[in-house]
Amino acid sequence: MSADTNSRQVKRLADYQAPDFFIETTDLTFELAADKTLVTAVLQFRRANPNALELRLDGQQLLLLAVHYNERLLQPSEYQCDAQQLRLSVTDDDFKLTIKTEICPQANTALEGLYFANGSFCTQCEAEGFRRITYYLDRPDVLSVFSTTIIADANQYPYLLSNGNKVADRLLAGGQRLVRWQDPFPKPCYLFALVAGDFELRQDQYTTKSGRVVELAFYVEKGQGNKALFALEALKRSMRWDEERFGLEYDLDTYMVVAVDFFNMGAMENKGLNVFNSKYVLVSNNTATDTDFFNVESIIGHEYFHNWTGNRVTCRDWFQLSLKEGLTVFRDQEFSRDMGSATVNRIHAVQVIRTAQFAEDASPMAHPIQPQQVMEMNNFYTVTVYDKGAEVIRMLHTLLGEDGFQAGMRLYVQRHDGQAVTCEHFVQAMQDANHYDLSAFRRWYQQSGTPELRVQRSYDVHKQQLTLTLRQHTPATADQATKLPLVLPIRYQLVDGERSESGLFVMQLQEESLVFTDVSATALPVLLEDFSAPVRLLHDYSEQELLRIAKAASNGFARWDALQSCWMLWLQQYIQQGGAFHLPEALFELYATLLNQPLPDKSLTAELLKVPDYGTFAESFPQIPVDSILAASAAFRLQISEHLSKALLQCYQQHSQAAAEYNEEAVGQRALKNRCLDYLSMHHGDSQTLLEQQYHTASGMTDKLAVLKASLHSEHPVFESLMQHFANEWQQDVLVLDKWFSLHAANPTEQVFDTIAALCQHPKFSWQNPNRVRALFHAFAMQNPGQFHRLDGRGYQLLTQTLLLLDPINPQVAARLVTPLLSWHRYDSERQILIKQALRQLLEKDGISNDLYEKVSKALA
Ligand code: PHE
Ligand code: ZN
């Protein structure tokens, strides 16, 4: 078998085998230099399977210098070494291997393993990056106690960091320094981390509920220290919250967070040494929006919560990724909910499911939250594993209640602390702690796809009885033809005049009925409150009924959700009536009321006043009518801005004095004001002064960016000059400049192609930096549907050429950007031809990465 076919191999969950060997201790020494780093790994092995005679270690892009078996140097004839593995025969039950390898961190543009960027060394080992550092059993069910010695130039790299506690620090001859770390907790190698560089350090302390003092240390780029203070406070809030809500306390004496500008993902939960994308640490009122602040708090929480759900209890294999990610997303969502507007947080989480996750279910990459087969693990850090995974945990929480869920959590941690386990272990703990049969519920882990829940109403006048017939059906997905009924916790509320009755109905079968007695003919059931199950609800509610819910429901989520359904009706009518359609008076009345008397939750008010975005509209169609959606959205915005111009301006003015800080009230005021501004900006003449004034007097980035977005959205001529001003002001701050790149890439006119070409030459743009690449091209592909889906194919070609260039540099980032091309079948036949042609260009490219290959080949299959 050639190396190529070997590396294109698909791995299956069904083939899982426990490891033949364990590694009890791992002692690493790094002699760091950007062009040539020497790694010495001293590994103490113990045989687990008495029948195993061969040891196979994973390794990639390593130069093997020497292997010692116990104290004896092995001859090359005593082992086999290829591009993927180091293999040797072993007969002892206990033995030591000393492996010396050489790697080149500065050539590592994939940012997996040990890399050198922006003057510092940094590692990223999840999922399978550790094998790029040394030969190892690179799998999460091999837990080892790590010690790490780092030797580097003392002046260039004043901070030499790794997991656990620092146990030695001394200067060596020749200007070198040696630091040694020990992590007392056994861990899989994906949680290993090393960072070396020069940083600004911000410190604080946290006292746990049992009275232990934890040193908190944030390492950020020099000059940026103040921008880490919000994250530092957020970390303390996370620590407190996890103690109070989950009874979980931090376990090491120090907690370190390093912020780096070159990072493939959001952040990484390495034991005691989190590495963050700087975008999720560094915020200030001047440079970051309210959304940025929100994301920092939630991701700081997320990585912290992993210490128990991920690190202390980890995954047996990567098919179990949702064990730690679904659960930890659930935990961070609950944390965010307790910190800010609960309703709006829920709305945003639901939008992710209904757009990105439902789209993934309908795509060639469809998979259950526990994938059954994987070629490139990096492709499975998905909205399905993360966000649908969190919805599955949330359903357990709904079924068991907070107390039952917490009892299950305690049992889970008590049983499995220090182990590498499966999703099944988690469900079993929930089941045992509650004596609640979850056998049918388990299907959520293995079954992919978006369940459809159809509801039919019938009212019996004589009996005064309302019967709901509920039918569930999950359409086949690319990965799985047959589907079974699922357990659906359905929260409902019956609105009947003054009376309102709420409850939880647990649906188990394909078809069931729900009967309400002694209700009037106009009683309205609101189903799936708070999106209690991740399904597509299909109902026949009329516009009048939906508007009744939107006006009157006590639950804010239900109001928003009813309006979403209205928007889908109106979009269909717009398409049918060929543009002659006018939004109903009743909507303007509702909006006028919201503008004149906003709800106490102003962020929610702003959400209610929003026309759904392109992605939300698109997801309701099996085949997406791109042009109609764009035309309809523009028409809807214009109608609202015309009918309500006075109320919009008044509401805008009433909420223009928000405090600069990030707090719930101020965030809500800004959201509401800027929603008004977005509509007002459609009247180019009247709004010019308003836009310029807000831009120049803004107290923070939220208000500034809102002006740029509104003027972009409305194609207001002031956009160009303000963008110029913005560029001059923020030339030196790459994170702010990323916002500017993204705005340019979302420009809805054909000019965007020249602009993007010019921006690729910008001194701050770099193909090596994922944040920069995403700022331009993710924004283009996801936030510029008009230009991306052009009928001359120019948009698809821009993305394709970008991917061909990017794939050899950073396959992980390339494979994420390809997503919108995979769903070619969702478009009309003209576009289908163009997209498939683009996909073929990718597939025909020599040496395309596994990351891209897996997705593109599935899409073309
Ligand atoms: N485990 C990280 C998280 O969700 C995500 C991640 C995966 C980061 C792979 C880097 C590489 O918190
Ligand atoms: Zn995570």
Side-chain angles (χ1 to χ4, degrees):
M1 186 182 297
S2 81
D4 187 52
T5 48
N6 187 39
S7 64
R8 298 271 196 235
Q9 249 173 32
V10 169
K11 286 152 257 166
R12 285 168 219 286
L13 169 55
D15 295 337
Y16 173 82
Q17 287 193 328
D20 287 338
F21 297 89
F22 289 120
I23 306 178
E24 299 194 315
T25 58
T26 300
D27 191 334
L28 303 169
T29 301
F30 291 83
E31 295 162 65
L32 290 178
D35 57 343
K36 179 175 161 179
T37 288
L38 297 178
V39 183
T40 307
V42 181
L43 311 175
Q44 189 62 52
F45 284 87
R46 159 154 296 177
R47 185 191 305 278
N49 173 5
N51 300 318
L53 298 173
E54 192 183 48
L55 174 68
R56 296 184 207 106
L57 301 178
D58 307 296
Q60 251 175 44
Q61 319 238 299
L62 301 172
L63 179 62
L64 180 61
L65 300 179
V67 192
H68 283 78
Y69 185 92
N70 293 330
E71 305 309 322
R72 189 172 70 81
L73 175 69
L74 294 186
Q75 297 308 308
S77 61
E78 293 179 274
Y79 53 82
Q80 285 96 45
C81 187
D82 63 25
Q84 319 268 339
Q85 283 187 335
L86 171 65
R87 303 197 304 274
L88 55 146
S89 304
V90 284
T91 47
D92 301 325
D93 285 342
D94 291 279
F95 57 94
K96 182 174 88 180
L97 284 187
T98 304
I99 304 170
K100 201 158 187 162
T101 50
E102 182 189 315
I103 50 183
C104 182
Q106 74 186 8
N108 182 353
T109 56
L111 312 184
E112 262 187 286
L114 177 68
Y115 58 93
F116 182 79
N118 232 0
S120 26
F121 293 89
C122 180
T123 57
Q124 173 51 47
C125 297
E126 187 178 6
E128 297 177 331
F130 192 80
R131 63 186 64 185
R132 294 163 183 254
I133 292 174
T134 187
Y135 288 98
Y136 203 76
L137 295 173
D138 189 0
R139 44 188 291 169
D141 55 356
V142 171
L143 276 66
S144 185
V145 174
F146 280 69
S147 316
T148 307
T149 302
I150 311 172
I151 300 167
D153 185 283
N155 286 328
Q156 259 180 296
Y157 311 111
Y159 294 101
L160 304 178
L161 313 174
S162 191
N163 319 83
N165 305 311
K166 200 200 267 190
V167 294
D169 186 343
R170 58 176 186 270
L171 284 171
L172 304 177
Q176 299 280 102
R177 173 147 159 257
L178 177 152
V179 173
R180 184 168 167 79
W181 295 82
Q182 267 170 358
D183 182 358
F185 294 96
K187 63 170 177 289
C189 62
Y190 84 85
L191 291 172
F192 168 79
L194 174 154
V195 172
D198 194 1
F199 301 100
E200 181 169 339
L201 171 59
R202 289 292 161 135
Q203 284 175 295
D204 203 341
Q205 286 187 334
Y206 175 81
T207 307
T208 69
K209 68 170 180 210
S210 67
R212 279 189 321 101
V213 176
V214 181
E215 302 294 334
L216 312 178
F218 277 62
Y219 299 85
V220 303
E221 195 183 310
K222 284 193 159 171
Q224 306 285 309
N226 286 341
K227 289 193 198 156
L229 297 177
F230 176 80
L232 191 43
E233 290 304 317
L235 175 60
K236 290 190 277 180
R237 287 195 289 277
S238 309
M239 296 176 94
R240 183 70 63 217
W241 183 87
D242 213 15
E243 291 175 354
E244 284 170 0
R245 175 90 182 260
F246 280 80
L248 296 170
E249 204 176 309
Y250 188 59
D251 53 7
L252 281 165
D253 298 334
T254 61
Y255 194 91
M256 297 176 277
V257 170
V258 182
V260 297
D261 197 39
F262 283 70
F263 202 70
N264 282 344
M265 307 276 272
M268 180 63 211
E269 70 265 23
N270 314 303
K271 183 79 188 184
L273 176 55
N274 288 181
V275 176
F276 271 65
N277 187 324
S278 53
K279 153 184 190 179
Y280 297 120
V281 174
L282 302 176
V283 286
S284 69
N285 284 332
N286 286 337
T287 59
T289 63
D290 291 332
T291 306
D292 294 325
F293 276 86
F294 175 86
N295 288 337
V296 167
E297 183 173 68
S298 106
I299 297 177
I300 286 278
H302 181 98
E303 306 313 327
Y304 175 71
F305 304 142
H306 266 317
N307 191 52
W308 279 97
T309 53
N311 301 4
R312 289 287 289 255
V313 184
T314 194
C315 302
R316 186 192 73 173
D317 55 74
W318 289 121
F319 300 101
Q320 318 298 331
L321 181 60
S322 202
L323 173 78
K324 75 176 175 80
E325 295 303 347
L327 178 54
T328 304
V329 171
F330 171 76
R331 276 151 55 69
D332 85 52
Q333 288 178 352
E334 289 295 291
F335 170 60
S336 295
R337 219 175 148 106
D338 287 348
M339 299 293 127
S341 164
T343 308
V344 171
N345 283 344
R346 186 62 189 142
I347 287 173
H348 290 158
V350 171
Q351 281 173 326
V352 170
I353 299 288
R354 284 193 181 148
T355 55
Q357 203 282 320
F358 285 3
E360 189 158 79
D361 281 338
S363 84
M365 278 294 289
H367 54 277
I369 64 168
Q370 184 182 61
Q372 304 293 301
Q373 54 191 56
V374 163
M375 177 185 291
E376 173 49 64
M377 190 53 213
N378 288 328
N379 284 339
F380 289 83
Y381 288 79
T382 61
V383 275
T384 299
V385 167
Y386 274 63
D387 298 84
K388 184 179 179 184
E391 293 301 320
V392 171
I393 303 291
R394 184 172 298 283
M395 286 190 284
L396 283 172
H397 185 271
T398 302
L399 292 170
L400 304 172
E402 169 71 5
D403 291 347
F405 185 82
Q406 291 298 346
M409 279 296 296
R410 283 191 296 274
L411 185 60
Y412 170 66
V413 167
Q414 180 204 319
R415 274 184 184 167
H416 302 299
D417 187 11
Q419 298 176 5
V421 300
T422 63
C423 298
E424 171 55 24
H425 289 104
F426 180 81
V427 178
Q428 191 65 43
M430 285 289 154
Q431 170 160 323
D432 292 349
N434 290 280
H435 308 289
Y436 189 113
D437 182 4
L438 292 167
S439 32
F441 185 86
R442 284 167 165 83
R443 274 179 203 154
W444 278 107
Y445 283 87
Q446 282 106 31
Q447 185 163 298
S448 54
T450 307
E452 291 172 355
L453 178 62
R454 198 173 290 276
V455 49
Q456 261 170 6
R457 293 175 288 173
S458 73
Y459 185 71
D460 184 326
V461 189
H462 297 292
K463 293 193 195 148
Q464 293 213 316
Q465 187 171 295
L466 172 67
T467 304
L468 299 183
T469 307
L470 303 167
R471 285 191 195 84
Q472 60 162 307
H473 165 72
T474 306
T477 48
D479 64 322
Q480 201 175 50
T482 51
K483 309 284 179 182
L484 298 166
L486 295 159
V487 177
L488 304 179
I490 304 174
R491 269 194 208 288
Y492 63 85
Q493 194 178 89
L494 188 79
V495 186
D496 187 12
E498 293 296 277
R499 182 180 140 206
S500 115
E501 172 191 332
S502 52
L504 175 68
F505 177 69
V506 182
M507 183 171 178
Q508 309 254 12
L509 308 173
Q510 192 166 352
E511 180 173 327
E512 289 186 49
S513 357
L514 179 55
V515 180
F516 298 96
T517 42
D518 293 322
V519 298
S520 73
T522 54
L524 256 186
V526 179
L527 294 179
L528 222 65
E529 224 172 51
D530 280 332
F531 198 60
S532 59
V535 304
R536 206 191 283 280
L537 183 65
L538 305 172
H539 56 66
D540 60 357
Y541 286 22
S542 68
E543 176 186 304
Q544 285 70 24
E545 288 174 318
L546 291 167
L547 283 169
R548 239 174 86 197
I549 301 171
K551 275 183 200 150
S554 56
N555 174 301
F557 180 88
R559 300 183 66 170
W560 170 82
D561 204 21
L563 262 183
Q564 294 293 107
S565 299
C566 284
W567 282 114
M568 297 304 162
L569 289 179
W570 295 328
L571 174 61
Q572 277 153 14
Q573 289 171 22
Y574 180 95
I575 293 173
Q576 280 155 16
Q577 298 173 20
F581 170 75
H582 274 267
L583 290 168
E585 201 51 45
L587 174 73
F588 298 130
E589 279 165 28
L590 171 63
Y591 273 16
T593 312
L594 287 171
L595 290 166
N596 296 330
Q597 293 155 317
L599 308 171
D601 184 341
K602 300 204 177 64
S603 295
L604 173 60
T605 312
E607 282 299 334
L608 294 173
L609 287 166
K610 183 178 175 191
V611 178
D613 55 22
Y614 171 85
T616 305
F617 276 139
E619 208 31 57
S620 65
F621 295 90
Q623 201 175 85
I624 302 169
V626 179
D627 311 287
S628 305
I629 294 177
L630 291 172
S633 311
F636 293 161
R637 274 181 76 228
L638 190 63
Q639 290 178 25
I640 293 169
S641 72
E642 278 171 356
H643 272 75
L644 296 166
S645 56
K646 261 175 69 184
L648 285 163
L649 186 60
Q650 217 167 53
C651 182
Y652 173 84
Q653 283 160 345
Q654 267 160 16
H655 297 89
S656 57
Q657 296 307 319
E661 292 90 79
Y662 177 76
N663 64 52
E664 202 177 336
E665 175 61 24
V667 169
Q669 284 193 28
R670 276 191 286 274
L672 185 52
K673 171 185 73 177
N674 290 324
R675 174 75 60 236
C676 296
L677 183 69
D678 186 66
Y679 288 118
L680 291 167
S681 67
M682 302 210 60
H683 309 284
H684 288 182
D686 301 345
S687 61
Q688 168 121 11
T689 324
L690 211 63
L691 291 163
E692 287 178 333
Q693 217 167 48
Q694 173 163 331
Y695 180 87
H696 291 294
T697 62
S699 62
M701 184 52 74
T702 306
D703 280 349
K704 254 191 191 171
L705 207 66
V707 173
L708 297 176
K709 279 190 174 157
S711 49
L712 173 70
H713 205 180
S714 306
E715 299 184 42
H716 197 295
V718 83
F719 178 70
E720 288 299 332
S721 59
L722 292 182
M723 283 290 274
Q724 193 55 55
H725 188 279
F726 192 86
N728 294 338
E729 190 174 355
W730 298 107
Q731 210 55 248
Q732 292 316 314
D733 189 323
V734 282
L735 290 181
V736 180
L737 221 47
D738 281 347
K739 301 178 192 302
W740 181 80
F741 282 130
S742 292
L743 285 162
H744 272 311
N747 184 339
T749 70
E750 190 172 9
Q751 200 202 320
V752 70
F753 294 97
D754 291 341
T755 309
I756 289 182
L759 289 175
C760 290
Q761 308 299 322
H762 191 282
K764 296 286 178 193
F765 183 82
S766 153
W767 288 102
Q768 271 74 36
N769 186 300
N771 284 353
R772 298 302 92 75
V773 171
R774 278 187 292 249
L776 261 192
F777 293 102
H778 184 84
F780 174 69
M782 304 306 286
Q783 280 147 47
N784 199 345
Q787 295 303 319
F788 179 63
H789 291 291
R790 284 174 68 90
L791 279 164
D792 63 4
R794 208 173 162 191
Y796 304 139
Q797 277 308 312
L798 174 58
L799 184 61
T800 307
Q801 297 310 319
T802 299
L803 294 174
L804 289 171
L805 186 80
L806 186 63
D807 188 47
I809 298 173
N810 190 326
Q812 244 187 85
V813 174
R816 280 184 177 266
L817 280 179
V818 79
T819 305
L821 293 177
L822 304 180
S823 296
W824 56 266
H825 58 286
R826 304 284 301 271
Y827 298 92
D828 51 79
S829 53
E830 260 179 283
R831 289 179 168 108
Q832 287 195 6
I833 293 170
L834 295 168
I835 304 176
K836 280 202 274 189
Q837 185 194 333
L839 289 167
R840 271 185 234 107
Q841 281 169 264
L842 293 171
L843 204 58
E844 281 158 14
K845 169 86 197 269
D846 274 346
I848 173 186
S849 67
N850 271 350
D851 309 58
L852 262 189
Y853 177 84
E854 178 173 38
K855 291 189 172 183
V856 175
S857 63
K858 273 189 186 168
L860 287 173

